[in-house]
Amino acid sequence: MAPTSGKRRVTITDVALHAGVSTSAVSKVLRNAYGVSPEMRERVRAAMAELDYRPHAAARGMRGRTYTIGVLLDNIRNAFFADILEGVNTELRGGDYQVLIGAAGFGEEDQTRLARALVDRQMDGLILIGPGFPRTEVLRTAATVPTVVIGHHDVAEEHDSVVDADALGAGLVIDHLVRLGHRRIALTSTPGNRGSGWSGTPERVQRRGYHEAMRRHGLQDLARVAMTAFSEEGGYRAGMELLASADRPTAVFGGADVAAMGVFRAARELGLRIPEDFSLAGYNNTAVAALAPVRLTSVDQAGGLMGTTAARLLLERIEGRTRSVLMTVSPSLVVRGTTGPPPATEV
Amino acid sequence: MAPTSGKRRVTITDVALHAGVSTSAVSKVLRNAYGVSPEMRERVRAAMAELDYRPHAAARGMRGRTYTIGVLLDNIRNAFFADILEGVNTELRGGDYQVLIGAAGFGEEDQTRLARALVDRQMDGLILIGPGFPRTEVLRTAATVPTVVIGHHDVAEEHDSVVDADALGAGLVIDHLVRLGHRRIALTSTPGNRGSGWSGTPERVQRRGYHEAMRRHGLQDLARVAMTAFSEEGGYRAGMELLASADRPTAVFGGADVAAMGVFRAARELGLRIPEDFSLAGYNNTAVAALAPVRLTSVDQAGGLMGTTAARLLLERIEGRTRSVLMTVSPSLVVRGTTGPPPATEV
DNA sequence: GTACGTGTGTAGAACGTTCTCCGAATTGAA
DNA sequence: TTCAATTCGGAGAACGTTCTACACACGTAC
């Protein structure tokens, strides 16, 4: 058994005794419930302060709320998630709720296990960021506890959704590159074994947007997509595949900033200068993109806004809203140093 | 009240009924406790599987453990923390414990509040990464629940400690730069209002190591430290201050990779080429340092190892160890493209 | 004088576990 | 046969809250 050495916790009973009232009364004060006179409220408050009382969340969880919100994500290394979380924290700061994050990894089983763990720990609400476990499992979870899904474009009665207009975002990049004079523009994307049942993963919608934009510019025959993982290494391999080929693209749109970094490495290794010989754009506008040695043109998704929105929607759901809501935020292009006109020989 | 719509949870009673035994028996099986026959264990196991039973963590928390470990950190944006967390997760994967992360921000009150929240939520153990709230509060917490502190060199009976040999790490960088021919080597560091009572914060130990190394090389008079925040912006300001001055250093040791990125921006803005005109090194060897456009020379701290170690120590403490343990991991230098000999005019 | 709110407070039964204690059955030794 | 000793299983009291139900005191309207 854990050595809980220290003295016993101060409980609601201690407070009640100290204030000379019933535990019910203390509980009411605690929850701002109806049926307490101002004087009693004051007396109880004083007693709580005097004894340095803090309610035991686990015990509260047995009957009512735990005042805890769980966030599930695959990997905290993804800087975009940090933006979202900052938004969530901003919205919830000062309120009664605490945010606890679970980093599940990319495995389907691990994610499922974490999701269940969050439910078992009696979270009052869940924010799932780009969940990679089966949709049916998500829906089952969402039927039990208020849930907001961030990223996937699939909507459902059971949960709210906060998404980025990814098709539009992809369009922004293509428009920008075409305007610069590029025609052979490739995309790196990921098959995304994101569990089963999701038809609207961000990467898929982004891909759709890419193809639409290429078609819009009459470049559909030049469209080319390299599928790998959204990671530095994945981007590198995709970059190698694309740039070593005969009719090599003059620009690559990395579907995620990390992947773009990998493409960058491939380009450098092949002796291509950026942006003189080759243009590169990313997606998500994570912190790296802005770094002085990087200066990557990218698409900003307003992660902070997505976070605050998700938190607000979740609170509403906890308070009882049942109609589901879809919130779409629109992306914007941030042009930096990695995109420029294609080399003269290509025009 | 939250709409818990779905059907009622499967409880231990349901399992007991279904298996035709008492709840006590089920509980015993659940906890691998003494006093169950193999047949009964099998029967109960089968019932649990059949009903898809999952113990209610909040309820368990009221008497025994919650099988949850809380990690407190200031900001998930710090890529070094990701390394640590990966280590923690690796060690705990497959076990009974779940890891939940709280991102407290840098404020002293916010951190204190989060720490208390974790205790209130009945965590079985706590991992505090570079805590920025008062040491007394940490010690009080550690007296109540098993705790491991990562980063700070201050040791105590109440908790275990996992630290990097930061003085040594600073020495590695200085040695490397001196060997290249540099003499005017500056450091960017942070005052770090990391709560009160900590005398061994990583940055302080690192600073000490820097001064020792400079003295060792007879360069104590050329030592120079710019104090700012460990952030891109902070690094930029420090870089500007150092590089715009008359006797500008030929090399800067950014006390953290992010800060080094800021210094990079300052250098570029002043028209200094790296590493031809000016050398730059970072600390922590975060993911950015390895990126193709960055290639920052940095000090690797083996964050993963720190994480696995911390997790292991914590489990031991939960199992009852009371003697405190200090674990030091040694850093290693990773030389990349941002360091080279000083410009000829300087030698 | 009765009936009916309305506002303020308490009693006490949940909630789903853990764990101490106790009883029954079985075994082994004297 | 009797008496421990050992093993297996269950009863039931916690744990710290929430929340329903109810009691009481005080109007107020008829």
Side-chain angles (χ1 to χ4, degrees):
Chain A
M1 192 56 247
T4 25
S5 46
K7 33 294 175 216
R8 209 176 49 77
R9 262 191 92 95
V10 176
T11 74
I12 203 173
T13 316
D14 299 326
V15 175
L17 244 51
H18 193 266
V21 298
S22 70
T23 58
S24 317
V26 179
S27 176
K28 279 186 189 175
V29 172
L30 213 52
R31 294 173 287 127
N32 289 314
Y34 175 85
V36 221
S37 64
E39 311 90 68
M40 162 165 272
R41 186 186 310 281
E42 245 340 285
R43 204 138 51 94
V44 172
R45 286 255 164 78
M48 296 204 291
E50 218 162 310
L51 298 180
D52 192 23
Y53 167 73
R54 277 152 36 204
H56 190 292
R60 302 185 91 171
M62 293 223 46
R63 302 278 315 180
R65 307 183 180 179
T66 54
Y67 295 94
T68 313
I69 286 175
V71 176
L72 179 145
L73 38 78
D74 48 33
N75 193 308
I76 54 161
R77 216 175 277 284
N78 189 328
F80 179 52
F81 294 169
D83 294 343
I84 296 179
L85 275 168
E86 216 142 90
V88 172
N89 274 330
T90 307
E91 181 73 18
L92 261 29
R93 171 161 331 233
D96 294 328
Y97 287 89
Q98 278 290 337
V99 180
L100 257 28
I101 306 160
F106 297 93
E108 205 170 293
E109 311 76 33
D110 286 345
Q111 289 208 14
T112 306
R113 189 138 50 91
L114 178 57
R116 291 186 175 161
L118 292 175
V119 174
D120 297 344
R121 277 154 190 77
Q122 197 73 358
M123 302 282 157
D124 293 339
L126 254 37
I127 296 179
L128 309 177
I129 307 186
F133 57 103
R135 187 158 146 75
T136 53
E137 178 73 25
V138 169
L139 294 180
R140 196 174 323 146
T141 304
T144 310
V145 21
T147 301
V148 176
V149 175
I150 297 185
H152 294 313
H153 291 248
D154 309 63
V155 300
E157 263 305 299
E158 290 89 333
H159 61 77
D160 297 333
S161 304
V162 176
V163 303
D164 180 56
D166 294 299
L168 216 136
L172 290 177
V173 173
I174 305 309
D175 291 354
H176 167 64
L177 290 170
V178 168
R179 206 173 304 122
L180 285 169
H182 293 271
R183 303 188 73 238
R184 280 206 304 285
I185 305 167
L187 168 73
T188 72
S189 190
T190 182
N193 56 342
R194 299 227 202 186
S196 46
W198 299 100
S199 63
T201 61
E203 55 270 15
R204 189 178 289 202
V205 174
Q206 186 190 60
R207 225 145 53 215
R208 208 176 300 150
Y210 163 78
H211 284 298
E212 271 164 18
M214 289 298 272
R215 196 171 319 121
R216 187 150 32 80
H217 292 290
L219 302 172
Q220 60 272 34
D221 295 340
L222 298 175
R224 198 155 148 213
V225 180
M227 294 295 241
T228 51
F230 271 164
S231 64
E232 207 275 343
E233 184 55 28
Y236 173 74
R237 280 202 304 275
M240 275 304 189
E241 178 194 325
L242 291 169
L243 298 178
S245 66
D247 53 343
R248 116 175 145 227
T250 61
V252 167
F253 170 25
D257 284 350
V258 247
M261 289 297 98
V263 176
F264 196 111
R265 175 153 65 97
R268 171 160 297 180
E269 221 163 83
L270 294 171
L272 295 170
R273 290 166 307 159
I274 296 177
E276 292 81 359
D277 301 326
F278 165 68
S279 283
L280 179 63
Y283 200 80
N284 277 354
N285 194 31
T286 50
V288 260
L291 255 29
V294 179
R295 306 211 355 93
L296 177 71
T297 294
S298 191
V299 174
D300 191 87
Q301 289 196 59
L305 179 60
M306 294 179 82
T308 55
T309 308
R312 194 142 26 79
L313 290 180
L314 188 57
L315 290 185
E316 287 174 21
R317 236 180 212 273
I318 292 176
E319 294 309 330
R321 172 166 59 70
T322 51
R323 300 273 310 263
S324 99
V325 168
L326 165 67
M327 165 82 182
T328 308
V329 322
S330 44
S332 64
L333 185 71
V334 181
V335 178
R336 297 203 183 85
T338 56
T339 47
T345 58
E346 297 279 349
V347 180
Chain B
M1 193 58 247
T4 25
S5 43
K7 35 298 183 214
R8 206 175 50 77
R9 260 190 93 93
V10 177
T11 74
I12 202 173
T13 317
D14 299 325
V15 175
L17 244 50
H18 192 265
V21 297
S22 70
T23 58
S24 319
V26 180
S27 175
K28 280 184 188 174
V29 172
L30 214 53
R31 292 173 289 129
N32 289 315
Y34 175 85
V36 224
S37 64
E39 310 90 71
M40 161 165 274
R41 187 186 311 281
E42 246 341 283
R43 203 138 52 93
V44 171
R45 286 256 164 79
M48 296 203 293
E50 217 163 311
L51 298 180
D52 193 22
Y53 166 72
R54 278 152 35 204
H56 191 290
R60 302 184 92 170
M62 293 224 48
R63 303 277 314 178
R65 306 184 182 178
T66 53
Y67 295 94
T68 313
I69 286 175
V71 175
L72 180 146
L73 40 76
D74 48 33
N75 193 308
I76 54 161
R77 217 175 277 282
N78 188 329
F80 179 52
F81 295 169
D83 294 343
I84 296 178
L85 274 168
E86 216 141 89
V88 172
N89 274 330
T90 306
E91 181 72 18
L92 262 29
R93 171 164 331 236
D96 295 329
Y97 287 88
Q98 278 291 337
V99 179
L100 256 28
I101 306 159
F106 297 93
E108 206 170 293
E109 310 76 32
D110 285 345
Q111 289 207 14
T112 305
R113 188 136 50 91
L114 179 56
R116 291 187 174 159
L118 292 175
V119 173
D120 296 345
R121 276 154 191 78
Q122 197 73 0
M123 301 283 158
D124 293 337
L126 255 37
I127 295 179
L128 309 178
I129 306 186
F133 57 103
R135 187 156 145 75
T136 53
E137 177 74 24
V138 169
L139 293 180
R140 195 174 321 147
T141 304
T144 309
V145 22
T147 302
V148 176
V149 174
I150 297 185
H152 295 313
H153 291 247
D154 308 63
V155 299
E157 264 304 299
E158 290 89 332
H159 60 77
D160 297 331
S161 304
V162 176
V163 303
D164 180 55
D166 294 299
L168 217 135
L172 290 178
V173 173
I174 305 307
D175 292 353
H176 167 64
L177 290 170
V178 168
R179 204 173 306 121
L180 285 170
H182 292 272
R183 304 187 73 239
R184 281 207 302 286
I185 305 168
L187 169 73
T188 70
S189 190
T190 181
N193 56 341
R194 296 230 205 184
S196 47
W198 300 99
S199 64
T201 62
E203 55 269 15
R204 189 177 291 202
V205 174
Q206 185 190 60
R207 225 147 50 216
R208 210 177 298 149
Y210 162 76
H211 284 297
E212 273 163 19
M214 290 298 273
R215 198 170 320 120
R216 186 151 34 80
H217 291 291
L219 302 173
Q220 61 271 30
D221 294 341
L222 297 175
R224 196 154 151 213
V225 181
M227 295 295 242
T228 49
F230 270 164
S231 65
E232 208 276 341
E233 183 57 26
Y236 174 74
R237 279 203 304 274
M240 276 305 191
E241 178 195 326
L242 291 169
L243 297 178
S245 68
D247 53 345
R248 112 175 147 227
T250 61
V252 167
F253 171 23
D257 284 350
V258 247
M261 287 299 98
V263 176
F264 196 112
R265 174 153 64 96
R268 171 160 296 181
E269 219 163 84
L270 294 171
L272 295 170
R273 290 165 308 158
I274 297 177
E276 292 82 357
D277 302 326
F278 164 69
S279 283
L280 179 63
Y283 201 81
N284 279 353
N285 193 31
T286 50
V288 258
L291 255 27
V294 178
R295 306 211 356 92
L296 177 72
T297 293
S298 189
V299 174
D300 191 88
Q301 290 194 58
L305 180 59
M306 295 179 82
T308 54
T309 308
R312 195 143 23 79
L313 291 179
L314 188 57
L315 289 185
E316 288 174 22
R317 233 175 215 274
I318 292 176
E319 294 309 329
R321 172 166 59 69
T322 52
R323 300 271 311 264
S324 98
V325 169
L326 165 67
M327 165 81 183
T328 308
V329 322
S330 45
S332 64
L333 185 71
V334 181
V335 179
R336 295 202 183 85
T338 55
T339 48
T345 57
E346 298 278 348
V347 182

